Amino acid sequence: LVEGEQASLQLAKQQELGKQQEVERLKALVQRLDAGREELATRLKESAGLVRAERGQAEAQAAARLAAEQALLEKDAAVAQLRQTVAMLDEERDALVAEVDEKAEELHALGAKLGRASEAAAAAEQLLRPALDRAVAE
């Protein structure tokens, strides 16, 4: 019986030793899992930070693109307004040129009429000069 108990005791010790080794392996596994979990958590935080930074850059680029598009629209509107103003000024210039041409023609006609009137006055003076000279002499 003592031998059986000793064998039983030795078997129990071996089982306990096996269980302790299993516990140690499980503890080591838990430590590795904890370390892996911490590493994954760190990587996840880094990735989340990168995603936030990229999202911020994308938002900034979208805002810059929107601002550039708005500025382009405003410049297009200004160019359209300037073109309209230039067209209006061209029309006004054309009207003024036509008016100046008309006034120049009138002036030319008046100059010609004045020239004819001056010639007629000179001819009348030549005709009347002898009579005027006689009247002054008498």
Side-chain angles (χ1 to χ4, degrees):
L1 185 68
V2 172
E3 248 179 63
E5 287 179 5
Q6 276 184 343
S8 189
L9 184 60
Q10 192 172 6
L11 181 62
K13 283 183 182 181
Q14 286 176 351
Q15 286 177 348
E16 183 181 337
L17 182 61
K19 287 183 182 183
Q20 284 178 350
Q21 289 173 348
E22 182 69 23
V23 166
E24 290 302 316
R25 282 194 304 267
L26 288 174
K27 283 181 180 179
L29 177 63
V30 167
Q31 286 176 347
R32 287 193 309 269
L33 289 173
D34 282 344
R37 183 181 51 82
E38 289 175 13
E39 183 180 338
L40 285 176
T42 300
R43 286 183 184 177
L44 181 61
K45 287 178 185 177
E46 290 171 357
S47 294
L50 290 173
V51 166
R52 277 192 299 276
E54 288 177 6
R55 187 176 296 137
Q57 288 177 349
E59 289 173 358
Q61 288 174 350
R65 187 179 331 105
L66 183 62
E69 288 172 357
Q70 182 64 32
L72 186 59
L73 287 174
E74 290 172 2
K75 288 181 180 184
D76 285 346
V79 166
Q81 180 67 34
L82 288 172
R83 284 183 179 153
Q84 186 178 10
T85 301
V86 166
M88 184 179 66
L89 290 173
D90 280 346
E91 289 175 9
E92 288 180 17
R93 184 200 63 207
D94 290 346
L96 289 173
V97 166
E99 187 178 337
V100 166
D101 287 345
E102 183 181 317
K103 295 295 181 185
E105 287 176 16
E106 287 178 13
L107 184 60
H108 182 67
L110 286 174
K113 191 175 183 182
L114 181 61
R116 287 190 302 273
S118 180
E119 288 174 6
E125 183 182 353
Q126 283 180 343
L127 289 175
L128 294 176
R129 175 66 63 199
L132 185 59
D133 287 341
R134 276 186 298 213
V136 171
E138 298 177 355

